[in-house]
Amino acid sequence: MILLIPGPVTTRPEVRAALNCDLAPWDNDFRPFYSAIRQRVLRIAGGRDGEHAALPLQGCGHFITEAAIRTFVPPGKKLLIPSTGAYAERMARLAREAGRVPVPLPVSPVARAEPAAVAAALEADPEIGHLGMVYSETGTGVVHDVPAIAAAVGRRVIVDAVSAFGACPLDISAHPEIDAVVFTSNKCMEGVPGIAFAVCPIERLMACAGNAASWSLDLADIYRHALRHGWGSFRFTPPAQVLNAFKTALDLFDAEGGQPGRLARYTANMRVLYDGVRALGLRPCLSQEMQGPIIVNIQAPDDPRWDLQAFVDALKRHGFLISNFYDTEMPSFRVGCIGAITPEIMRRFVAVVGEVLGELGFNRRQAA
Ligand SMILES: *Cc1c(COP(=O)(O)O)cnc(C)c1O
């Protein structure tokens, strides 16, 4: 089965094979292995030794996003979260339930956030200490220009790069305003799910100790633990096999030419999909200019017989799995361009979409 979802993504067989072992995470052989992974992650984020730290946390993207908010935004304090889509809403909920005060800023679901609008919202409220932004908004498919916005706003910034990291460029050394860039093993890094990471400036981790009001979700505590017990040690039991698979995923990432190589392949996948579904008479939700390389939402045929689950089930019979829900206002279906997917696989998928529309009795040309 080929997963065309925005994570967990289709992985290479070498990555899955690396899960097939027993590992003791406290063993002396595991420690240098694990600290080397942290070092490689730090490098990909543009972090510098002694200035930045790579902080792994067991679990998923929500956990690391909440940990970043808890660590850097003091309880009761405000953060501006431009409402770019479903994942910005999730960030806002994480902040609210952690006792922080998310301040929304309306953003069109079919356009990039305007740097001037973000700056104006922050200027209007000097009590807002942080900007929280989703880099690649998985709900809409828009990649926002977070590096440019972050550099312009003059506040501390938390970047949800969960569906961007590894494909979209971000150099934390060039952004002293960034407190945390957060991401997981299982999206553009093409590992399996189970471990999340934050890359943060050490100076800020020191300054923000005590904010989190949580032991599990405190990035400053993860940093302190590394200082005390070494960069090869975990506070709590880690998903050791997932880390083993992640090491293989990092090797494959390097072999592909790192972030630029990955972005090029995902962009090629997106183009094949975007142009292919249009040729079938379907309409993507975003204009070409706004369409990011990570995920494409495609408008459902305007037909009362349309049933997303029936469409998903039919695609599955042909070996492709897509999401059975959508995050857009209009009914749509969403297709991920990330993972161990090539343009050739995407061409096959487009052909299958055409076949399935036929099987389900949709006249493709009238579909749009
Ligand atoms: C997937 C995703 C998350 C959440 O990740 P989980 O691992 O499902 O918790 C957060 N933000 C963005 C932008 C995502 O794409």
Side-chain angles (χ1 to χ4, degrees):
M1 188 66 65
I2 292 176
L3 304 183
L4 292 181
I5 54 178
V9 297
T10 298
T11 54
R12 294 256 295 249
E14 305 93 301
V15 170
R16 295 192 299 276
L19 292 167
N20 194 12
C21 57
D22 288 316
L23 287 168
W26 319 114
D27 183 64
N28 281 342
D29 287 340
F30 192 80
R31 295 169 70 93
F33 166 83
Y34 168 50
S35 66
I37 287 177
R38 295 177 80 156
Q39 191 62 22
R40 291 174 78 176
V41 163
L42 185 73
R43 286 277 173 278
I44 297 168
R48 292 200 189 111
D49 292 336
E51 268 180 58
H52 302 94
L55 305 162
L57 180 69
Q58 298 88 340
C60 64
H62 287 80
F63 292 9
I64 196 76
T65 304
E66 178 172 345
I69 291 167
R70 283 184 173 275
T71 303
F72 294 108
V73 182
K77 297 295 185 191
K78 292 183 185 175
L79 76 162
L80 182 77
I81 303 179
S83 306
T84 50
Y87 287 85
E89 294 309 319
R90 284 161 179 267
M91 190 190 238
R93 177 170 175 182
L94 291 169
R96 192 161 48 245
E97 300 209 7
R100 279 65 173 172
V101 183
V103 179
L105 172 71
V107 176
S108 162
V110 294
R112 282 186 278 274
E114 290 286 344
V118 177
L122 289 168
E123 254 162 57
D125 189 346
E127 282 181 11
I128 301 175
H130 274 81
L131 169 68
M133 260 201 94
V134 180
Y135 192 177
S136 164
E137 175 50 83
T138 317
T140 63
V142 177
V143 174
H144 295 277
D145 195 354
V146 169
I149 294 172
V153 293
R155 305 284 162 96
R156 305 304 308 164
V157 180
I158 292 171
V159 184
D160 171 351
V162 178
S163 69
F165 191 84
C168 303
L170 189 64
D171 174 7
I172 196 170
S173 291
H175 290 278
E177 72 283 354
I178 292 181
D179 275 350
V181 177
V182 303
F183 55 94
T184 62
S185 50
N186 61 279
K187 288 189 174 171
C188 304
M189 294 310 297
E190 300 188 4
V192 299
I195 190 84
F197 297 90
V199 176
C200 304
I202 287 169
E203 197 180 75
R204 292 285 299 153
L205 289 162
M206 309 282 274
C208 293
N211 273 351
S214 163
W215 181 21
S216 300
L217 300 180
D218 185 1
L219 299 177
D221 190 68
I222 300 176
Y223 174 66
R224 270 199 309 278
H225 182 92
L227 288 187
R228 255 189 245 124
H229 303 282
W231 294 88
S233 78
F234 259 98
R235 300 181 306 164
F236 318 127
T237 301
Q241 289 82 355
V242 168
L243 282 160
N244 204 44
F246 190 65
K247 189 254 172 210
T248 302
L250 286 169
D251 292 344
L252 294 167
F253 177 80
D254 289 347
E256 191 173 9
Q259 174 266 319
R262 201 142 284 190
L263 179 61
R265 177 163 55 85
Y266 292 171
T267 302
N269 291 345
M270 179 273 286
R271 283 254 64 89
V272 168
L273 175 64
Y274 192 96
D275 295 342
V277 294
R278 281 175 73 188
L280 292 176
L282 294 168
R283 205 176 296 159
C285 295
L286 296 176
S287 68
Q288 275 198 42
E289 205 244 317
M290 290 300 159
Q291 179 61 60
I294 308 297
I295 183 153
V296 178
N297 287 313
I298 298 149
Q299 290 180 25
D302 184 14
D303 186 313
R305 293 171 308 152
W306 174 255
D307 174 352
L308 177 58
Q309 189 63 56
F311 179 64
V312 170
D313 290 343
L315 291 174
K316 206 155 104 182
R317 288 195 289 276
H318 291 265
F320 289 98
L321 192 58
I322 66 165
S323 306
N324 60 356
F325 62 91
Y326 56 91
D327 290 317
T328 54
E329 250 169 63
M330 302 271 285
S332 65
F333 63 93
R334 55 182 220 163
V335 183
C337 304
I338 62 178
I341 301 295
T342 58
E344 191 42 49
I345 292 173
M346 205 52 110
R347 264 187 282 280
R348 257 168 47 211
F349 174 71
V350 170
V352 162
V353 169
E355 268 178 60
V356 161
L357 288 175
E359 281 170 23
L360 296 175
F362 292 98
N363 178 334
R364 282 149 35 174
R365 276 290 148 199
Q366 283 170 8

